[in-house]
Structures are given as C-alpha cells and as structure tokens.
Amino acid sequence: MYTLGIDLGGTNIVAGVVDENYKIIAKGKVKTNCPRPAEEIADDMAKACFMACENAGISIKDVKACGVGSPGAINPITGIIATANNLGFKDVPLAKMLKERTGVDFYLENDANAAAYGEFLAGSGRGVNNCIAVTLGTGVGGGIIIDGKLFSGSNYAGGELGHTVIVVDGEPCSCGRKGCWESYASATALIRQTKAAMEKNKDSIMWELADNNIDNVNGRIAFDGMRKGDKAACEVVATYEKYVAIGLANIINIFQPEKICIGGGISNEKETLVAPIRDYVSKEIYTTMGKPCEILPAELGNDAGIIGAAALYKLYE
C-alpha cells in the first residue's frame, strides 16, 4: 500500500510516495515561486505528485490516500486554507483544487502539525499515545498529539506554542506581542543572540568561525565556539538552552506528554543541545508522577512533514 504526502513550503513543493512502513520511496520536487495565484501553485503541486509516482514506478491510482502539510491557518474538515501569509493564500480550497487535478482525495493540515504527526508515527515520538513536537526554526512551531490524535483546538488554530510569553514586555515578536518563546528559542533568536555576544566580545573565536563577517552568523556558530572553549560562545549556548527549557517546562506542566521531540536545524546538535535542556527542565516542572517526559531530538528532519501528511487519512478512519 502506498500513500502520498506533500510538504508545501514557501520555497519548494516536495511530494513523497510513502510505503506501509512510513518510508519515503520516491520524491518529486518543484519550486513554489511565490507569490503567484493559488491555481498555479496547485498545478505544480499536482505535477510534483505525478513526478513522485513516476519516480516510484507507480500510478497515482495506486495511492490509497494523499495529504498536504501547508503553512497557515487551515480547516482540515473543509480542506480550506483560511490564510497563509507567506504563500499569499486567503480562503483557498486547496483540497478540492488538488482533487480536480489528480482525481484523488486530499487531506490538509498545518505543516507543523503534519511534521509532529510524522515524528509521532515514525520518528522519535513513536510508541506513545501523547507526544508534542517542537520545531526550532525561523520561528518556533509546535504540534500536539493527545491520545494518538492531533489537537488544534475548537477552531483548528491551537498549538501555537511559540507564541506563549516567557518574558513580560520582552523582545518583540513577529506576531505583535512581546516576550514570546519564539523570540528567545527560535534559530532566528539564537542568531541574534550570537551576534550580540560577538559585538560585545571582539576577541571571541566566533568572529573567526564567521570569517570575521557578522552577516555569516548562523545557528551553528555559537555551538562550534562552545566546543572550542570560547567563553562568550558558552554563555550564548547556555542562555539559549535555558530559554528553550523554560518553554518545554511550561509545555510539560500543561500537557504532561510522554515525549517531546525537538526538531529544526538546531536539533542536529543532538545531545549537545538536548542533554542540558533535560537537566534544566527536570528542576522546573511542577510534578512528575510515574515515568517522566522524555525529551528527544527529532529523527525525521525534513521528511517528517511528508510522512505525516501522507498519513493524515488515519485521523479520519
């Protein structure tokens, strides 16, 4: 049995054919080329689907179910994207549009939720009933799994974990609030924190790592500097990990999940990132009854959204 998942991003559209073991056996990829009409993007999404099927040596008629993980506010029941700012979408009936182009039914979900579902089924979140996935990227994304089902509230817009405030009147956030967790724990925030430390410490090895150009700073610079024993880099990493841990402790106090999976590019640091966070969280959570929540690096990387999208049909069986 095959399913098909699409990761719809602002830069690329990636479709993947997934087998019954949640393994991607073939992909099709095209550029999103935003901004442009939704009809044109739907055309290319269908093209990516056919390309993935061709690369897998199957017909789209061999696919049991199809799903899409998309940015924005999405109603998974109607298959309509209410808003997706980076795509320029407003009230776009994407599921209907894709069925018209492919002949098969599509399920839609927010991209962070789709990635969380992928990690829950086939990544570091597998084997439990309650799991939360957190993605540390440009922002902080989140997906909540309760009793094996995605939770997004009464209006399908819940789970915005990055927009919980951890510092009153703190750093401004893109959402318009101040002090959001995203403003301190995202990769964007880490880069800002790294640059600020470099400006204060002109002798930091982080300058050398960035080729003496502050515009070259990325999410790895502080961690690489820490590994070389640079004091300023160590302070950046310790402070950043503390910010991440504060948000995770809040999540545990609210939901008490069995697992939290941390994704995004920074999760490539694996235990270098996660081990100190576990220690900090253990001192911050309100209570632990039974087995404590496991905090783990995500396993699936960019494939999580495809795998999760391909399996969305399971939520409606």
Side-chain angles (χ1 to χ4, degrees), residues 4-7 66-69 107 114-115 117-118 304-313:
L4 194 148
I6 302 177
D7 182 9
C66 301
V68 179
Y107 297 85
Y117 195 47
I306 295 173
I307 294 169
L312 288 174
Y313 76 95

Side-chain angles (χ1 to χ4, degrees), residues 51-236:
M51 189 185 306
C53 289
E54 182 179 351
N55 291 338
I58 64 172
S59 164
I60 199 162
K61 294 180 181 179
D62 299 319
V63 174
K64 175 181 179 177
C66 301
V68 179
S70 168
I74 294 168
N75 185 327
I77 303 302
T78 62
I80 293 174
I81 300 178
T83 57
N85 293 334
N86 64 333
L87 296 173
F89 283 5
K90 184 172 178 60
D91 297 326
V92 173
L94 189 62
K96 178 182 177 183
M97 295 166 72
L98 290 173
K99 182 174 183 178
E100 291 172 348
R101 288 159 172 79
T102 63
V104 295
D105 290 328
F106 273 80
Y107 297 85
L108 260 61
E109 189 53 81
N110 171 268
D111 53 359
N113 287 344
Y117 195 47
E119 284 292 338
F120 168 74
L121 292 172
S124 57
R126 62 189 179 276
V128 299
N129 290 320
N130 303 286
C131 174
I132 292 178
V134 173
T135 302
L136 308 177
T138 303
V140 172
I144 302 166
I145 313 288
I146 297 176
D147 293 332
K149 302 289 186 180
L150 277 168
F151 174 80
S152 55
S154 60
N155 59 355
Y156 311 110
E160 292 293 342
L161 304 176
H163 297 292
T164 54
V165 170
I166 65 168
V167 179
V168 175
D169 293 329
E171 294 283 349
C173 181
S174 61
C175 74
R177 302 180 80 190
K178 291 183 178 181
C180 285
W181 188 32
E182 177 173 298
S183 298
Y184 294 86
S186 63
T188 306
L190 174 58
I191 290 169
R192 186 186 70 249
Q193 293 156 12
T194 302
K195 288 180 176 179
M198 290 168 63
E199 293 286 8
K200 291 180 181 178
N201 298 272
K202 296 296 185 180
D203 60 343
S204 169
I205 199 170
M206 290 188 288
W207 282 102
E208 179 183 332
L209 294 171
D211 294 327
N212 291 311
N213 184 347
I214 203 163
D215 292 333
N216 291 335
V217 172
N218 56 38
R220 297 188 303 273
I221 293 290
F223 282 92
D224 289 344
M226 177 196 68
R227 280 184 278 270
K228 292 181 178 293
D230 182 77
K231 182 180 178 182
C234 290
E235 291 175 355
V236 169

Side-chain angles (χ1 to χ4, degrees), residues 231-244:
K231 182 180 178 182
C234 290
E235 291 175 355
V236 169
V237 171
T239 300
Y240 174 75
E241 290 175 335
K242 182 176 179 180
Y243 285 137
V244 175

